[in-house]
Amino acid sequence: MMIEINYFINVLIGGLVVGFIYALTALGITIIYGILQIPDFSHGNRYMLGAYAGFLAASIAGNMLEISYIAAILAAVAVSALVGVLSYLLVYRRLLDAPHITSFIAAIGLLMLLEGFALAVFGPRYQHIHTPFDYMVLVGALRISAQRLVILLSSIATIAFLFYFLKRTITGIALEAVAQSPIGARLVGINTDKITLIAFAIAGALAGFAAALIAPITLVYPIMGAELNLKAFVICVVGGLGNIPGAIAGGLVLGIVESIYGGYFDIRWKNLVAFGILVAILILKPEGLFGKKERRA
Amino acid sequence: MNWKIVCPTILVLALLLPLTGSSYAIRISTLFIIYTIAAMGLNIIIGYTGQASLTQGAFYGLGAYVSALLVLNGWSFWSSLVVAVAFVAAVAFLIGLMTLRLKGAYFAIATLLFNVIIYEIVDKWDEVTRGPRGLFGIPSPAIEIGGVSISFSGTQNFYYLMLAVLVIMTVLYWIIIKSPFGSIIVAIRENELLAEYAGVNLTKFKVASFVFSAIFASVAGAFYSAYIGSIFPDITSFVNSFAFLTAVIFGGAGTLAGPFVGTAVVTLINEVFFTLAQYTVLIQGIVFLLAILFMPKGVMGTYYSRKAEKGGELPKRAIMGKL
Amino acid sequence: MLSVKGVGIKFGGLRALKGVTFDVKEGEILGIIGPNGAGKTTLFNIISGLYTPDEGIVLFKGKTITGMPPHKIVRLGINRTFQTTSLYFNLPVIGNILITLTGWYRGSIFKALKEKNGEEIFEEAMKLLKFVELEELAFTPVKNIPQEAQRRLSIAVAIATKPKLLLLDEPTAGLTLEETDKILEIIKSLRNNGTTIALIEHKMRFIMGVSDRIVVLESGEVIAEGKPEEIVKNERVIKAYLGESYVA
Amino acid sequence: MLLEVKDLHVAYGSYEVLRGVNLEIDYGEIVSIIGSNGAGKSTLFRTISGFIKPKSGSIRFDGEEIAGKSPEEIVTIGITHCPEGRFLFPDLSVYKNLLLGYFTNRRDKDGFKKRLEYVFEIFPVLRERINQRAGTMSGGEQQMLAIARALMPKPKLLLLDEPSFGLSPKLSWSVFEVLKEIKNDTAVLVSEQNASLSLKVSDRAYVIELGEIRLSGKADEVMANPEVKKAYLGI
């Protein structure tokens, strides 16, 4: 009995860990969608490039695990944020006046470009980022990997910090303002271009952080972004595109469901079940589980 | 450009191509034809109806799988083709019914999800599809005329077969676009609300054009499996959806010749950089982005807007927004 | 011909319309007036099937049409124009009519694929353009023609579906007196051809001159209904529409 | 002069919406601009506030040329615009809407508190609703919030487009009463369909027709003009 409960808690923690990674990535997509109404399909590849930047930084930083892992995190955050900023400056900003479908198609181009870049530079091989938290800790009767605890705690801290930023700082409030009414924002003197740039930087940084956290467990490879991206996207849609709490809740729910399913049932149909449920939600409740119903105007 | 001269010229050149004796050129041209058929279908739903569908790759792969499975079970290619097309059309009908109420990005994401779902089924249901091991030894199609059997196994024979299929599919494509049906889907693309107030049942027409686009994809897929002889679950992946999308956008979404031009350019790029396999995706991405940024209307779209700027005469169908 | 009975609708917490009841009689021109935000356009959206009301029903020729999608209502014989002119802006003027006629005549998939558009559809389009005096602009892209011409074109697009009841949403907003007169003539000759018309307007003089009857909306409720000469004398109307200062 | 608009031309594509508009506003003035829907009032406002670039002409504010500047720069210089349609932040609280109204001076925390008190005195109902989300308030309250937001940075000039939109006559009247209170700090250019209301509180008025100024003068003179009466006052 005891063992079963412990197994369940472990499955649950596994789900939360993955769920937070999903949530951190989905947050970026939802923030960008809120501001520009673009479904940025290339977002997952910022996450992937962040992971590679972390891998490179860690190899340069040397053999001290503590130092090299910190270097990896910093590099991942910085590079992902930079790629986000450049994506806006070089691509999306030029398409602000074009129909939405153009930006959306450009996102697919960007996705190919970033993935192609990683393939060309790093090849299809799997790379490894080493973590100093490579041991198990005892919490009560539970043995949990320290890296998982680090992921849980730092994700929660990051999300708390994000909420503080959005709700309490004037720049964060301005970011929400631009998402709700770009014209209103300009009327009060907010430079929407600058805010959009900040949004892309934040979205990228969150993805890079998520990548550096999970990379020691899942390894680093070129299509890691594409795999995560799809799920992050669906999470956003389920949470309501542009809805920040929705993205977090959606990420956690998907992570836990996947983990429980994988822990107890035939793993073969895991993805199918996950995507099946998500598409059903999308069709039955297109405004998202947490969204408000809007009338056709 | 006068299409009445250009089209027959190209057709004659195409018929003469095997005289060059280059099996490489024939192989590339055959693949080009297969991809073009799928791209034509995608152009109907994206270019003319204005709905960003991302399921085309799955329909293509599904067409290939259904027909290959039947052929491997002893069916003739032609009856398997009919069943594959009907099956994919039915799947598209159901997916269209479910997704086409969604708008813009939501529709795109929903169709992408269905692509993933179809891929998962093909990849994981190995009792039926043999999963990642793929299907091998798919025989080539053959026909019997008056007791004489002609096999399309040779590169050259298959090329002529595909040329005939291309002509048939192009005529179908042309009929769909040129008929009142084509005008109505353009009306939906240009102003959905107003189209509805012209008494058009939006759902019906959107679903119909989605089904048409899937039919083209499944035909292309079925012939692909017969040509290559082996297929793997990858063929249903959304990577193919993106590839067909690239061709349509590149050629000019919503222009009749767009899928031909776009597929030609994309096939060419792939071949030119074939030796740099590692860089293919990167180069595709760069070219794609540059095209969207500097030529968002694609080759044919840009051609027509230049022509309009210069005051040149546009085709008569331009009155109805069709190019 | 059309009966609106106890129609009400909510947006979020806001009650945009409540208990709206009135009739449109065959062959008349009914004016609908009221201050900005009174719910006039919402009312048109309900009649033409864009919104389903939370309460009440709409009857057209004795048949309930609430809950029907717009394309079915159009086929029953009601069409409308939009306040912010809605057209196929990328197409030429005549393309707008042709594409509407195509949708109207070939609205089933079978017909759309099988039947061809012949010369007669082109001639019918030209006739409609002549009716609104746009035949000279037939091949100009809509985005390049003046606002006033766009307004007339949107009427032509709506009547291409041969409606028995036409709903016009502020057909003269932003037009000069001269241009307003042109629209007025179109409306009158439409009525003479047997089309019943309901129109939303702001210009008092215009609506008083053209309407047989007038319905006044304020904050989502009908506050008066009657002949123009009765409406101008109605104190509640003057207060709501012209402002406090005009009473007394 | 606070604002001098000279020979202003604005076009959407080939269609000229403003055809040589001349207009002036002095410190401490309320000026009405009257015209039918589509005459060019909103376009004029949007051009002054920087949302539309003029084709030609000059807009001088406090002696400085501002034509072609971005909306952000123009708010910083001291012109705020309260447009038709309000453009509030519907999911943010009244407090945050007002905080954002003070965005251009965001570092001055004390100044913000003073301005907040000031607008609460003018619109006491907003104080009661301080934590309510803007989108859930009634139309009238939203209109007050929109005006209050535009007053937050203590602008030298307020452009007020259709303030009585969707308001009951009584509420509209109280909005216009407010203008008289603020005009010593903030000059006002107001456009209004219900011209009789706005003319009562205005010092001067312009009549705009088809993108041109047809008539201008003291508010009571304009109101007494028989043609204006006929065309815009509904009598």
Side-chain angles (χ1 to χ4, degrees):
Chain A
M1 193 61 196
M2 201 56 204
I3 295 167
E4 274 176 32
I5 289 174
N6 282 350
Y7 179 69
F8 177 75
I9 292 176
N10 252 324
V11 167
L12 202 64
I13 289 176
L16 278 175
V17 166
V18 180
F20 271 116
I21 299 300
Y22 288 165
L24 288 178
T25 325
L27 274 171
I29 293 172
T30 246
I31 288 173
I32 292 172
Y33 186 87
I35 300 261
L36 286 185
Q37 273 79 50
I38 296 174
D40 187 358
F41 271 128
S42 67
H43 187 69
N45 281 343
R46 274 170 219 141
Y47 161 91
M48 177 269 297
L49 284 180
Y52 272 107
F55 161 71
L56 281 184
S59 0
I60 293 166
N63 294 329
M64 274 281 287
L65 272 185
E66 286 78 6
I67 293 172
S68 71
Y69 191 52
I70 287 173
I73 291 176
L74 291 178
V77 169
V79 166
S80 293
L82 182 71
V83 174
V85 165
L86 289 178
S87 307
Y88 173 62
L89 288 180
L90 299 178
V91 180
Y92 296 123
R93 183 151 76 169
R94 312 177 60 124
L95 298 174
L96 287 179
D97 297 327
H100 272 177
I101 188 159
T102 312
S103 302
F104 165 72
I105 289 164
I108 292 176
L110 205 52
L111 170 152
M112 298 197 311
L113 178 110
L114 297 178
E115 194 172 308
F117 176 79
L119 262 172
V121 175
F122 304 103
R125 279 188 313 279
Y126 285 74
Q127 311 286 2
H128 200 168
I129 297 181
H130 295 278
T131 167
F133 306 104
D134 203 5
Y135 50 86
M136 302 298 263
V137 278
L138 269 178
V139 180
L142 277 176
R143 278 166 59 84
I144 305 171
S145 107
Q147 180 68 18
R148 286 185 162 191
L149 279 183
V150 168
I151 292 177
L152 287 183
L153 295 176
S154 53
S155 304
I156 292 169
T158 309
I159 288 170
F161 180 73
L162 181 74
F163 268 86
Y164 172 80
F165 170 76
L166 288 174
K167 301 292 169 197
R168 291 278 174 267
T169 69
I170 187 80
T171 313
I173 296 171
L175 201 146
E176 283 213 76
V178 174
Q180 286 178 28
S181 171
I183 296 179
R186 304 191 76 189
L187 283 169
V188 299
I190 295 170
N191 184 337
T192 47
D193 191 50
K194 221 165 156 184
I195 294 289
T196 312
L197 208 58
I198 292 174
F200 269 91
I202 291 173
L206 288 172
F209 190 53
L213 287 178
I214 198 76
I217 299 177
T218 61
L219 306 181
V220 180
Y221 50 100
I223 60 161
M224 67 188 282
E227 284 175 5
L228 177 71
N229 197 43
L230 202 59
K231 286 182 182 164
F233 241 94
V234 175
I235 288 163
C236 291
V237 172
V238 169
L241 268 171
N243 183 330
I244 288 173
I248 298 168
L252 294 181
V253 169
L254 181 66
I256 291 169
V257 168
E258 265 186 14
S259 179
I260 290 178
Y261 190 89
Y264 291 95
F265 301 99
D266 184 356
I267 202 159
R268 173 155 77 139
W269 302 111
K270 186 178 91 168
N271 279 347
L272 186 68
V273 169
F275 287 119
I277 292 172
L278 293 169
V279 84
I281 293 171
L282 180 60
I283 287 165
L284 298 174
K285 240 179 142 329
E287 66 281 2
L289 284 181
F290 307 91
K292 286 172 291 182
K293 197 160 193 145
E294 268 170 44
R295 265 179 203 278
R296 233 177 114 178
Chain B
M1 249 185 279
N2 186 344
W3 295 112
K4 279 181 189 141
I5 300 169
V6 173
C7 291
T9 316
I10 292 178
L11 196 60
V12 168
L13 287 177
L15 284 169
L16 296 177
L17 180 79
L19 292 183
T20 60
S22 157
S23 63
Y24 172 75
I26 296 174
R27 190 182 69 83
I28 295 302
S29 304
T30 308
L31 287 174
F32 160 76
I33 292 173
I34 291 172
Y35 299 148
T36 302
I37 292 171
M40 277 197 286
L42 189 60
N43 196 24
I44 296 175
I45 185 78
I46 288 196
Y48 288 95
T49 321
Q51 310 292 320
S53 159
L54 293 175
T55 328
Q56 195 74 347
F59 292 148
Y60 174 73
L62 213 51
Y65 258 91
V66 174
S67 111
L69 283 170
L70 292 175
V71 171
L72 287 173
N73 276 303
W75 289 49
S76 89
F77 173 77
W78 306 104
S79 41
S80 86
L81 175 69
V82 172
V83 174
V85 169
F87 178 78
V88 172
V91 172
F93 177 76
L94 291 176
I95 295 178
L97 222 46
M98 288 189 273
T99 54
L100 279 160
R101 282 179 309 125
L102 303 172
K103 298 251 181 300
Y106 286 84
F107 173 72
I109 295 169
T111 51
L112 182 62
L113 277 180
F114 272 109
N115 198 319
V116 174
I117 287 174
I118 290 172
Y119 168 79
E120 285 289 329
I121 294 173
V122 172
D123 188 52
K124 303 283 156 61
W125 197 13
D126 52 14
E127 293 87 340
V128 175
T129 64
R130 292 169 46 94
R133 287 167 296 162
L135 300 176
F136 296 93
I138 304 161
S140 303
I143 47 169
E144 250 186 38
I145 303 170
V148 184
S149 166
I150 306 171
S151 159
F152 295 103
S153 57
T155 328
Q156 191 170 323
N157 284 359
F158 202 92
Y159 171 72
Y160 280 121
L161 171 66
M162 282 324 291
L163 216 49
V165 174
L166 180 67
V167 170
I168 295 170
M169 295 314 284
T170 307
V171 169
L172 280 178
Y173 169 71
W174 193 72
I175 289 175
I176 290 172
I177 303 303
K178 203 185 161 274
S179 68
F181 182 89
S183 303
I184 290 171
I185 56 177
V186 166
I188 294 173
R189 176 190 78 194
E190 291 292 320
N191 192 333
E192 213 167 270
L193 195 61
L194 215 49
E196 202 170 4
Y197 279 104
V200 170
N201 184 338
L202 297 181
T203 317
K204 254 195 203 168
F205 275 82
K206 284 187 190 172
V207 171
S209 61
F210 191 60
V211 170
F212 286 150
S213 77
I215 288 174
F216 279 75
S218 60
V219 168
F223 278 102
Y224 177 84
S225 72
Y227 180 56
I228 301 293
S230 60
I231 48 173
F232 299 91
D234 274 12
I235 193 180
T236 57
S237 136
F238 62 82
V239 173
N240 273 336
S241 296
F242 287 175
F244 296 135
L245 178 69
T246 312
V248 168
I249 299 299
F250 220 108
T255 63
L256 266 172
F260 297 84
V261 178
T263 311
V265 175
V266 171
T267 313
L268 215 66
I269 290 175
N270 284 349
E271 287 309 313
V272 168
F273 296 106
F274 182 70
T275 46
L276 305 167
Q278 218 188 109
Y279 301 97
T280 322
V281 185
L282 176 64
I283 289 160
Q284 267 181 357
I286 291 173
V287 174
F288 188 108
L289 259 187
L290 290 179
I292 262 291
L293 287 174
F294 298 103
M295 209 173 55
K297 290 175 181 170
V299 176
M300 291 316 291
T302 310
Y303 165 74
Y304 282 122
S305 38
R306 289 266 161 83
K307 199 164 157 182
E309 264 167 40
K310 282 186 195 150
E313 205 170 301
L314 289 176
K316 221 170 155 189
R317 55 180 189 271
I319 290 178
M320 312 279 257
K322 294 179 287 185
L323 285 168
Chain C
M1 185 172 214
L2 184 87
S3 300
V4 177
K5 289 190 177 161
V7 161
I9 192 167
K10 273 186 209 159
F11 294 117
L14 201 76
R15 292 194 66 158
L17 289 178
K18 46 196 160 189
V20 172
T21 302
F22 66 89
D23 289 334
V24 187
K25 293 172 189 141
E26 180 127 28
E28 74 173 344
I29 297 182
L30 177 78
I32 297 171
I33 63 170
N36 275 333
K40 295 164 294 183
T41 300
T42 309
L43 183 62
F44 271 18
N45 286 346
I46 288 175
I47 297 173
S48 65
L50 215 48
Y51 300 158
T52 306
D54 298 324
E55 54 194 47
I57 53 166
V58 181
L59 296 167
F60 181 62
K61 292 177 170 173
K63 206 177 156 195
T64 311
I65 57 167
T66 28
M68 270 191 197
H71 68 91
K72 281 203 178 138
I73 291 180
V74 171
R75 295 214 172 264
L76 284 177
I78 301 178
N79 210 338
R80 64 171 300 177
T81 63
F82 294 85
Q83 192 174 14
T84 38
T85 317
S86 186
L87 289 168
Y88 303 102
F89 287 99
N90 295 323
L91 306 190
V93 169
I94 192 160
N96 275 259
I97 309 278
L98 285 173
I99 222 166
T100 309
L101 288 173
T102 309
W104 175 246
Y105 286 121
R106 323 267 182 241
S108 92
I109 292 175
F110 185 67
K111 273 189 187 169
L113 284 168
K114 199 169 158 253
E115 294 177 11
K116 273 191 189 154
N117 281 337
E119 274 301 305
E120 70 284 353
I121 223 166
F122 191 81
E123 272 161 30
E124 191 178 343
M126 273 323 254
K127 225 186 254 169
L128 280 162
L129 287 184
K130 260 183 208 139
F131 179 69
V132 294
E133 293 174 31
L134 285 173
E135 70 272 24
E136 275 160 32
L137 292 173
F139 294 94
T140 317
V142 169
K143 47 190 168 195
N144 297 343
I145 68 172
Q147 198 196 2
E148 168 269 333
Q150 293 184 355
R151 212 56 73 77
R152 279 184 281 146
L153 179 59
S154 69
I155 296 179
V157 166
I159 61 177
T161 64
K162 302 165 187 62
K164 300 190 182 66
L165 170 64
L166 181 62
L167 312 171
L168 299 171
D169 197 345
E170 293 209 39
T172 71
L175 303 189
T176 61
L177 281 178
E178 212 176 306
E179 293 162 349
T180 306
D181 284 345
K182 259 192 202 168
I183 302 272
L184 183 68
E185 253 168 58
I186 292 174
I187 293 175
K188 281 187 172 159
S189 54
L190 270 175
R191 195 253 293 267
N192 293 341
N193 294 344
T195 312
T196 309
I197 290 165
L199 91 152
I200 293 174
E201 253 306 334
H202 255 118
K203 286 184 185 142
M204 290 296 264
R205 244 175 1 135
F206 177 75
I207 199 138
M208 293 295 168
V210 72
S211 313
D212 299 314
R213 282 189 318 125
I214 289 176
V215 168
V216 187
L217 279 181
E218 196 211 355
S219 315
E221 285 179 278
V222 175
I223 59 163
E225 188 181 345
K227 296 219 159 71
E229 49 276 26
E230 295 162 17
I231 294 294
V232 277
K233 287 186 212 130
N234 186 316
E235 226 169 70
R236 231 180 131 187
V237 175
I238 298 173
K239 211 162 124 186
Y241 203 70
L242 304 175
E244 204 85 49
S245 49
Y246 280 88
V247 189
Chain D
M1 269 306 136
L2 180 63
L3 182 83
E4 284 173 279
V5 175
K6 273 198 189 132
D7 197 28
L8 189 68
H9 289 260
V10 174
Y12 297 135
S14 60
Y15 181 61
E16 214 168 56
V17 193
L18 297 183
R19 308 165 190 188
V21 168
N22 291 294
L23 179 142
E24 287 180 348
I25 300 164
D26 209 342
Y27 297 90
E29 259 193 327
I30 302 176
V31 175
S32 267
I33 182 147
I34 300 166
S36 60
N37 259 344
K41 291 173 295 181
S42 298
T43 304
L44 175 64
F45 280 23
R46 283 188 214 131
T47 312
I48 298 174
S49 63
F51 279 89
I52 302 174
K53 301 254 175 293
K55 209 169 96 184
S56 65
S58 113
I59 307 171
R60 294 184 79 78
F61 179 71
D62 238 358
E64 189 190 344
E65 180 63 46
I66 61 164
K69 280 196 186 316
S70 74
E72 299 89 71
E73 288 171 300
I74 284 170
V75 179
T76 316
I77 292 166
I79 302 178
T80 55
H81 179 185
C82 179
E84 199 183 330
R86 305 184 191 120
F87 298 100
L88 292 169
F89 308 116
D91 289 334
L92 296 184
S93 64
V94 167
Y95 174 82
K96 281 188 181 172
N97 269 278
L98 293 172
L99 179 69
L100 288 164
Y102 204 68
F103 187 81
T104 46
N105 305 332
R106 56 193 172 277
R107 289 195 179 74
D108 180 4
K109 298 244 160 66
D110 291 335
F112 169 67
K113 278 178 198 143
K114 274 185 207 148
R115 282 310 281 180
L116 196 63
E117 274 309 307
Y118 177 78
V119 297
F120 280 165
E121 261 168 48
I122 301 176
F123 301 109
V125 66
L126 294 181
R127 195 198 298 270
E128 295 162 27
R129 299 288 155 98
I130 186 158
N131 289 319
Q132 195 173 333
R133 285 192 308 144
T136 62
M137 300 199 300
S138 75
E141 287 161 353
Q142 290 192 23
Q143 187 66 43
M144 290 183 222
L145 178 58
I147 298 171
R149 187 181 70 177
L151 286 175
M152 281 304 291
K154 202 174 182 183
K156 292 178 193 149
L157 174 65
L158 171 66
L159 307 172
L160 199 51
D161 200 356
E162 297 279 342
S164 74
F165 185 92
L167 299 192
S168 71
K170 199 177 154 202
L171 264 174
S172 325
W173 185 240
S174 56
V175 165
F176 281 105
E177 285 288 296
V178 166
L179 301 187
K180 285 202 274 189
E181 285 175 36
I182 63 167
K183 76 173 188 178
N184 285 331
D185 291 332
T186 302
V188 184
L189 178 63
V190 56
S191 91
E192 182 56 59
Q193 269 191 16
N194 193 340
S196 60
L197 262 182
S198 68
L199 284 177
K200 281 204 171 151
V201 298
S202 298
D203 299 297
R204 288 187 305 116
Y206 291 87
V207 176
I208 185 168
E209 233 172 61
L210 284 177
E212 285 174 73
I213 300 290
R214 276 292 147 80
L215 198 72
S216 66
K218 289 232 162 64
D220 41 1
E221 290 168 16
V222 171
M223 185 134 71
N225 183 308
E227 270 190 48
V228 173
K229 262 190 165 165
K230 209 170 130 195
Y232 302 106
L233 303 180
I235 33 177

